[in-house]
Every structure is written in C-alpha cells, then in structure tokens.
Amino acid sequence: MDAATLRPVVPRLSDNWGYVYGAVYTFYQSGGAAKYAEAVRRVLKNLPKYRSYIWEPNPQLPLGSFDGYADAIESAIYLVNREAVPEALDWIDSEMKVMLAMQQPDGHVENWYGEGNFNRTALLYALMKSQGSPLCIGCPALAWAP
C-alpha cells in the first residue's frame, strides 16, 4: 500500500489474503456484526475462481513460487476450520495437488529456507484431513481420553 494514497502498489491479489480475513472473522467472534462472518464466507465461496492462480510470480517458475500457494492454502485452511464452505474445501484439495507437485524428486521445492512453509502447509492439510486422529496406530503416547 502507498502510505500517502492508501492505494495498492501491486495490483494483484495477495497470497496473505486469509490472514486479513482471519482478523475480520475474529472481530465477528468477539461481538462484531454477522456481516463480518458473511464476508469470510463470500471469499471462501469464490476460491474456485483462483485455481492455479499465480500468487507469487517468479519468471523462472511457470506457476510462481510454492510460497504463494502455501500462504494462500494455509489461509483457507485456517478459515474453513470455522466456516466449512464446500467450495473452499474443494479448492484446498485441488491447490494442494498443485503445490505438492512442485516438490522435486530429491524432496526439495525451490532450495531455500522458506521450504518450511511448504512443510507447515502440508502438515496443516494432513491434520485437517485426518481431523486430528493419530497417525501412529498403536503408539501408547497418543492415547485419547474420552
């Protein structure tokens, strides 16, 4: 944003959109009007328009950096935890396939420290899909209380 005019400096969407909407939803939860929750639901319903969107352009990578995908997907995961909008859930599944396909055979993605973001998003997705169930069947440390 340009501080003097409050206009966007870059005219494309931000991969961090969900963190802003997370704040909007938190305001709704703390006593804000229902219109704030509706704003979040509206954004989540529109995610299918952004399949294979280049969130973080990089001229050397056809779909841009994985980092943009990771942030956008993570944003959606955090929000669908509160508003399970079917369109958003489908979008998360489709975009995870795109992001995971960016991984190279040696396990790296783009060979820089930000690959932790790739890992965190993949782990959040696995947790969302498993709904928190233990991944180690029979591990005594993972006993669940009723």
Side-chain angles (χ1 to χ4, degrees), residues 18-103:
Y19 304 124
V20 175
Y21 279 97
V24 169
Y25 199 81
T26 299
F27 179 74
Y28 156 72
Q29 288 180 305
S30 65
K35 68 181 179 179
Y36 297 104
E38 183 50 42
V40 170
R41 286 190 291 271
R42 184 173 51 252
V43 166
L44 292 173
K45 287 178 187 175
N46 281 297
L47 282 175
K49 295 177 183 177
Y50 301 98
R51 291 191 196 281
S52 298
Y53 183 81
I54 300 173
W55 294 101
E56 199 171 305
N58 180 328
Q60 298 172 344
L61 302 168
L63 292 172
S65 175
F66 76 86
D67 188 55
Y69 272 83
D71 287 339
I73 293 165
E74 204 170 297
S75 292
I77 289 172
Y78 292 142
L79 293 169
V80 299
N81 185 45
R82 299 289 183 248
E83 295 287 341
V85 174
E87 294 89 343
L89 292 164
D90 289 343
W91 180 85
I92 291 167
D93 287 340
S94 72
E95 300 314 286
M96 277 301 298
K97 289 176 186 173
V98 173
M99 188 188 85
L100 292 173
M102 293 177 178
Q103 189 173 33

Side-chain angles (χ1 to χ4, degrees), residues 107-130:
H108 288 92
V109 187
E110 293 174 18
N111 296 309
W112 63 288
Y113 70 87
E115 294 194 10
N117 196 8
F118 179 94
N119 297 331
R120 182 181 60 240
T121 301
L123 288 168
L124 282 168
Y125 180 68
L127 184 60
M128 180 188 88
K129 295 305 261 186
S130 69

